[in-house]
Every structure is written in C-alpha cells, then in structure tokens.
Amino acid sequence: MASDGTGQVAGVDVGGTFTDLVRIDQQTGEVRLAKVASTLDNQAFGVLNALEAAGSDLAALDLIVHGTTTTTNAVLERKLSKTGLITTQGFRDVLELGRRTRPQPYGMKGSFRPIIPRNLRLEVPERMDASGQVLITLDVEAVREAARALLDAGCESVVVHFLHAYANPAHELACCAILREVWPNDHITLGHALLSESREFERGVTAAVNASVQPLLARYIRRLEDALAEGGYGSELLVMNGNGGMVSSRRVADEAAKTVMSGPASGVMAAAYTGRAAGIGELITYDMGGTSTDVALIRDAEPQVSNETEIEYAMPIHVPMVDVRTVGAGGGSIARVDAAGLLQVGPESAGSVPGPICYGRGGTQPTISDANLLLGRLDPARLAVEGGVSLEMVRDAFAVLGAPLGLDAGQAAEAVIRVANARMAGAIRMVSVSLGADPRDFALFAFGGAGPLHACALAKELGIPRVLVPPRPGITNAIGCVVADLRHDYVRTLGRALDTLDMTDLRAAFDEQAAEGEALISAERVRLAGIRRVHSVDMQFIGQTHLIRVPVPDPGLSREDLQAAFERVYFDRFRVELSEIRASVVNVNTSVIGERLPVDLSTLIDPAGRKGSVAEAKTGVRPVRFGDAVFETPVYRREWLPLDAVLNGPAVVEQMDTTVLLEPGDVARGDAQGNLLVEVGA
C-alpha cells in the first residue's frame, strides 16, 4: 500500500533519555505528542510505548518514520558484531596504520583500537592498479580458506576490501560470489559498493563500521517490523539516515553505516523545513539536550552535508552525513573546579540517573540545569518535586563549588552558565567561521530541551541578530522524521586533471548515479511530490590532499564553467586565488531526493488553546538573575500565547518540552507558523 502522506503520519525519534513522538493527521489537523523513557536494551519497546502513549491505532497510521540511535550507540560504545575482513595481500594493517595522526594536537599520548582486530583481518593474493588493470589475479581458493577461518572464529559479518576496487570492482564481486556459497547470512559488505572512492583507509573503515553494525540494525528493524505488524500496521516503515533523508526499513540494514548520527540529522532537517516555511533560509542550528550540544549550518534552506565525518579519533565514516559538530555541554553537564583552580563544565554528565540535583533522583553534583534553576530561569515547582529536594540543596552545592573561586552560590551559578555558553559558542564558530561563514548573516535555530534557555545569550555573544524558536523545540528531532524526504547519495572517484578530463565521462557518471537513485526511490511505497537531483564534484589543486566540494547545478556544464566554479568556491572558503595551478576532479557526487508532500506544522500547538492576548497567557512573575542584576520577570505559558504575540525581555516562556528565556532588551514576535522570532538586544 502506497503512503500518500495525507493521512496520519508518525515521526518517532529515540534519544538517550527519551523517545519522542509526533503524530499529525493531515486531514483533520489533529496533533498528538508523546515523550516516554527510552528502552536502551531494546529501542523497539520505547517506540511502541510512544505510539501507545499517543493513543495511536496502528492500523489507521498511514506512515511511520523512525530515527534510531542503534548504530550510533553501538559504534561509540564498541558493542559491535564480530566481524572479519578479507583484503589484498600486504594490506591487512591499513585500518590500524590510518593517517598516523595524533588524537591530541599536543602531547604524545593516545590510544586507538581498530574496529576489526588483526587476527580477523585476513589477506588473499589479488591486486589491481589505480587505473583498474589487473596485476595479480584473485586467488579463489585463498578466499574460501579465509571465509572458513573467519566462520570458525565466530564472525557474523564480513568485509571485502581490496585495493583500488573503486577503479575496478571485479575482484570484490568475484570474492562476494564465493562468499555467498558459504556465508550463512547476508551480512557481506563490499567496500566499493558502499563507497566507490579512493583512499583505502577511509573506505576500509567505513566498510568495517557498516559490517560491524549491520547484524545489530537488521535484528532491531526485524523486531520492530514484527511488533508493528502484530499491532495491525500495514504501511511503509521508513528509517532516518545520517544524510537527513530516509530509506525503507526493507533495505536500511544493507548500508547500516549511513544510519550513524541519524538523530542529530533529523533535527537539522526539521530546522531547514521550519526555516523555509518562515522565510529564513540561513540558519545555524543549536540543539542542546541533556548530555551534549549539536550545531550545524543551513544555507539557502539546505543543510550542509559532509562526506568526511570522523565519529571519533581514527574512525572516519565517509558516507554523506549532515555536518553536525558536537560538544559535551548539556543540561546534565557537571560543573567542577579542577586541580589548577579553573571552573570546568562537562563533558562529564549526570545523565538521567541520578541526573541533576534538581531532578530529585539522588544527584549531588551541580549541573547546568541546577544553575538555571538557582538563577530563576527554571521553575522549582516543575522540577524539585521528588525525593524531598529543595532549592536550598541546590544553593548549598553551588556554594561549595564557588568557595575555591571566591564566589557565592549565585555568582557560581552565573559563572557555570557563562563557561558553558563559551564552549557552545566555540562549536558554533566551528560550523560557521571555520567554513568561511559569518554568524551575523544567520539566525540561530534553538531547539532541544535546553537550547531555548541559552540561545539568546549565545546569539548576543556571537553577534547573531535573530533567534528562531520553533513551536515544539523538545521534540524537533521527531518532527524532522515527519518532514524529511527520501534520499540516496552516490559518490564515484574519477581522479583526473580537469584540463584532460573528458566531460562526457563526467556527464555519464552523473546520469548513471541519478538513474540508480531514481530506481530505488520509485520502488518505495511512498507517494511523492517530485524527485530532485543534486550534483557536485570534489575538487582540489593538483598536489593538494584537501578536497573541496563544488556544486554542479547543470551536469552538462563546460570545462571552463567548472574551473570558474571551483575557483569561486575555493576563494570563498580560503580567500586565496591560485588560478595558475592546475585543478583536478577527484569525486563525482549525486544526491537523488524524493520530495514528500508538505506537512502543516502550524498545528503543533493546539490553536484552540491560544488566548486572545499576551496578558491572558501570563502565569506569574518570579525573580531571574541576569549577570549581577535580578529582574522581576513575567512568566508566560507558550501554548496560550496568541500567534501574533509580542514579548519584551526579560521574560520566561514555559511549555511542556522546554523553557524559552528572553534576556533584557530582547523582543520576541510570534508568526503564523507558531514560531517565536527573537530580535536579540544589544
């Protein structure tokens, strides 16, 4: 049954603490929300619990879109399937040698553990050269022996990673055919099939990650599909990928590595969609949760996608992913004074258990959330209700923290907020200034449970003039699942100097990749508004190793047009002109995007609950500290504010999933989509 996107659509995002759901009925406008505890031992239970909490009739649902952290958690925690590698003779240590970089820029210490241990990395005689010519024929019997050895060692999945397979995959394909005869499952990853580009280290690590998480994701998706089917669900299940697009659950495990970092990606897609509807295409997304903060850049309403993500030291995953940068600063980040007498905030987190002191679950160490509570920015009545926790317990913790620094409790809390904001501002500079973008040209899109509390202060520090707070910041990732498009990305290495490149080869590569993506999207059981192709090339000046992405709006462009486009992008990035040096085209990239029918987000806050005036939405007044001054600050309920509300800071706006803080001098205005647009004061 094809989904036309006009019935009930549910987006479910699994986070480290909560599983969020938004269900939108496009025919009636009804919106249901749910936030339940994540079940990390089996995320499927959390998904089902969220659907039940929202009162969902599975048989009536038109579409379910799911963002999962199954693969991300597995990689970060190294809870992986046992995986073997079959590679070219003499190259078993490529995954361990890497680029010989250091984990820290300064210092000689560091450790690294490859995804696949050395005893499970086996070699077979075979060799291609860089042009794809066979130098050594594949030893078929050696492949069979390697397969038997890996199976005897208990491997569940296997990687085939041969040198220069991107230029000629014949040996990898032949090896796969042999493995199919003896391997007991489908968990066989071919390096060239996942990533058809040069650089054997990055291609090998990407393939190793894929194979190591493939069985885990396949089992999880199978359990979820079976549970949904038992409940009566008969439509398509789509899964969010790290590139911000979705793919059918029927094939998501084939390229499991692409689901790594899918959670942050869904939030960025929601930001792009919301900004586009609000007429704001230039955004810096700022997602502050309980343990970390994710930031990303959106230009012309399109998130920036990178093929060079390194999820941790020496673990590059070179499949397209939304370019998200993360710092260890969240609501649960712990504040402490180090041995040098300096105040530090994070990356250690109190987590959800025991959590911050104000949660009343046994936490004793001061956190960012506790600082916000002590400064009056969070309502004690909404937090300190368990375990006999009082505001005095929080104050005492900050008095102890501030004593070595000569600060009282309130000053210590203010200092914690300033240090945390400085760390988060650094992450924002990393996705903007370091990429040649001026933060002053963007609006800050604030979401996550804690993002709207800090957004205006961060914007002020960075010179960002506006902050956009969506209607439901705390469930933005789930909303991203609802609005994201289908997407397939392809890359192929050409590796030729531009002045000798046959432009018909470039056009043919674009056309072949686009045709493959369109065929996959056409097979999905989802009705679309249209299909869009996005082409680009990765280029460099000959002699460089760094690649820079050059958009190609017209795949039939001339050699001179491509040279000019490359020089323009290079200058925008580095402010350097090197027109006398020859350029080369390294990779050809194509994204095929199946655009889904539009989703109306204006009903995320029930229109029936809105009051006629701002005064009617006011729930009280409380003292809030800003710097060294305390202001008697009005408090409003977000769900009661009229769409055209105008709020002058200081003000606190509370809602089910977050708290919005306006500083003195800020002015917030509501729009027709239910957003708050904040003009940041001087």
Side-chain angles (χ1 to χ4, degrees):
M1 179 175 66
S3 165
D4 60 11
T6 60
Q8 293 187 30
V9 180
V12 189
D13 177 72
V14 178
T17 305
F18 294 106
T19 295
D20 299 330
L21 176 142
V22 57
R23 195 189 79 210
I24 299 177
D25 190 319
Q26 289 287 80
Q27 295 178 346
T28 65
E30 181 191 31
V31 174
R32 290 288 186 93
L33 308 175
K35 184 180 283 284
V36 302
S38 294
T39 51
L40 299 183
D41 55 333
N42 185 350
Q43 293 184 6
F45 293 137
V47 174
L48 296 172
N49 292 342
L51 289 164
E52 182 180 358
S56 303
D57 178 1
L58 293 180
L61 282 177
D62 186 59
L63 181 66
I64 296 176
V65 185
H66 177 31
T68 175
T69 55
T70 296
T71 53
T72 308
N73 292 343
V75 173
L76 293 177
E77 298 171 11
R78 293 297 183 102
K79 296 179 179 178
L80 304 166
S81 299
K82 195 169 188 177
T83 302
L85 172 74
I86 298 176
T87 190
T88 305
Q89 191 169 51
F91 288 86
R92 68 189 294 195
D93 293 323
V94 163
L95 300 190
E96 199 157 350
L97 292 171
R99 294 293 172 194
R100 307 310 298 160
T101 56
R102 292 180 293 178
Q104 302 295 333
Y106 302 99
M108 301 300 292
K109 294 184 178 180
S111 62
F112 165 66
R113 181 161 52 96
I115 286 286
I116 302 175
R118 195 170 194 270
N119 66 302
L120 297 180
R121 304 196 300 261
L122 305 184
E123 300 175 346
V124 298
E126 77 83 34
R127 188 68 180 268
M128 297 278 182
D129 66 15
S131 64
Q133 298 299 312
V134 177
L135 300 179
I136 300 175
T137 303
L138 176 66
D139 188 326
V140 173
E141 189 53 39
V143 171
R144 291 195 174 95
E145 291 178 6
R148 286 192 291 267
L150 293 176
L151 287 173
D152 291 343
C155 290
E156 187 176 7
S157 58
V158 61
V159 178
V160 181
H161 175 50
F162 290 154
L163 200 66
H164 301 308
Y166 62 91
N168 182 353
H171 283 178
E172 283 197 359
L173 293 171
C175 183
C176 180
I178 298 167
L179 288 172
R180 295 284 182 203
E181 299 173 4
V182 298
W183 207 258
N185 55 50
D186 293 330
H187 304 321
I188 301 172
T189 297
L190 306 184
H192 85 276
L194 186 66
L195 182 64
S196 186
E197 68 173 52
S198 58
R199 297 187 289 185
E200 62 271 14
F201 169 61
E202 288 80 3
R203 189 172 73 254
V205 172
T206 302
V209 169
N210 188 81
S212 298
V213 299
Q214 191 177 55
L216 304 174
L217 183 61
R219 283 193 290 269
Y220 167 67
I221 292 297
R222 193 178 308 117
R223 286 195 301 264
L224 180 58
E225 287 177 328
D226 291 344
L228 291 172
E230 288 177 10
Y233 183 66
S235 298
E236 185 74 274
L237 173 65
L238 299 179
V239 181
M240 179 68 67
N241 269 343
N243 63 4
M246 298 173 302
V247 66
S248 169
S249 61
R250 288 175 282 114
R251 61 173 58 92
V252 68
D254 295 341
E255 297 181 331
K258 293 184 177 181
T259 65
V260 175
M261 301 301 289
S262 69
S266 63
V268 177
M269 301 313 295
Y273 192 94
T274 304
R276 193 179 302 119
I280 304 175
E282 309 297 309
L283 291 169
I284 298 173
T285 68
Y286 165 55
D287 174 11
M288 183 179 178
T291 58
S292 63
T293 293
D294 300 320
V295 297
L297 195 69
I298 296 174
R299 283 174 161 161
D300 297 326
E302 291 291 340
Q304 302 299 292
V305 175
S306 172
N307 284 50
E308 299 190 356
T309 301
E310 189 169 74
I311 192 169
E312 65 178 46
Y313 170 65
M315 195 183 293
I317 303 180
H318 277 213
V319 294
M321 294 185 187
V322 174
D323 191 6
V324 177
R325 309 295 173 91
T326 302
V327 294
S333 294
I334 295 171
R336 69 191 190 284
V337 177
D338 65 15
L342 299 176
L343 179 63
Q344 302 289 346
V345 181
E348 295 83 11
S349 173
S352 57
V353 179
I357 301 170
C358 59
Y359 282 13
R361 298 172 184 165
T364 59
Q365 296 177 289
T367 67
I368 294 176
S369 290
D370 295 313
N372 279 313
L373 179 71
L374 190 59
L375 296 172
R377 302 172 181 192
L378 294 176
D379 183 2
R382 298 177 65 191
L383 289 174
V385 294
E386 300 180 41
V389 174
S390 68
L391 193 59
E392 288 306 314
M393 294 175 65
V394 177
R395 183 175 286 109
D396 290 345
F398 278 92
V400 172
L401 177 71
L405 306 171
L407 304 176
D408 62 27
Q411 292 170 329
E414 182 70 32
V416 167
I417 297 299
R418 291 179 63 185
V419 170
N421 286 350
R423 290 196 66 199
M424 293 183 284
I428 292 173
R429 291 186 183 97
M430 188 64 69
V431 301
S432 56
V433 177
S434 70
L435 299 178
D438 188 337
R440 294 172 294 184
D441 297 334
F442 294 78
L444 189 64
F445 186 93
F447 64 107
L453 264 175
H454 296 255
C456 292
L458 282 176
K460 189 175 298 183
E461 179 171 340
L462 293 162
I464 298 174
R466 288 190 295 175
V467 173
L468 192 162
V469 184
R472 294 293 181 185
I475 59 168
T476 298
N477 286 1
I479 294 169
C481 293
V482 170
V483 303
D485 296 319
L486 299 171
R487 178 170 178 150
H488 294 281
D489 295 299
Y490 300 91
V491 59
R492 180 184 305 177
T493 292
L494 282 183
R496 300 178 196 169
L498 180 57
D499 56 7
T500 62
L501 173 65
D502 187 339
M503 298 301 285
T504 59
D505 290 344
L506 181 63
R507 287 191 288 273
F510 282 138
D511 290 343
E512 289 169 12
Q513 293 179 153
E516 185 176 349
E518 289 178 9
L520 285 176
I521 286 178
S522 298
E524 306 283 19
R525 296 179 296 169
V526 177
R527 198 163 299 159
L528 301 171
I531 294 180
R532 180 163 53 98
R533 302 176 176 184
V534 179
H535 301 298
S536 66
V537 290
D538 294 328
M539 297 183 66
Q540 61 185 187
F541 285 116
I542 293 177
Q544 290 183 322
T545 58
H546 175 77
L547 300 177
I548 192 165
R549 176 137 315 167
V550 180
V552 180
D554 176 14
L557 84 174
S558 67
R559 192 188 322 275
E560 293 72 24
D561 290 339
L562 185 55
Q563 174 74 31
F566 168 62
E567 292 178 0
R568 187 165 53 250
V569 171
Y570 196 95
F571 181 80
D572 289 344
R573 175 68 176 83
F574 298 108
R575 297 296 168 183
V576 173
E577 292 182 351
L578 300 171
S579 55
E580 69 279 3
I581 303 178
R582 296 171 67 202
S584 68
V585 176
V586 180
N587 299 319
V588 181
N589 311 296
T590 299
S591 298
V592 184
I593 301 169
E595 298 176 326
R596 291 174 55 213
L597 298 174
V599 176
D600 182 9
L601 300 182
S602 64
T603 57
L604 285 172
I605 294 179
D606 187 0
R610 296 188 181 276
K611 305 295 185 181
S613 68
V614 171
E616 292 177 275
K618 184 176 176 181
T619 60
V621 176
R622 67 170 178 261
V624 179
R625 179 169 177 160
F626 298 91
D628 294 328
V630 177
F631 293 78
E632 289 299 317
T633 303
V635 181
Y636 301 93
R637 182 169 172 177
R638 177 81 180 269
E639 290 85 357
W640 293 353
L641 286 172
L643 282 176
D644 59 353
V646 178
L647 302 176
N648 294 302
V652 174
V653 182
E654 297 177 338
Q655 58 188 103
M656 177 270 287
D657 51 322
T658 194
T659 297
V660 185
L661 179 69
L662 304 182
E663 298 203 335
D666 297 341
V667 179
R669 293 178 172 85
D671 70 2
Q673 302 297 318
N675 303 305
L676 284 178
L677 298 173
V678 184
E679 299 293 333
V680 178

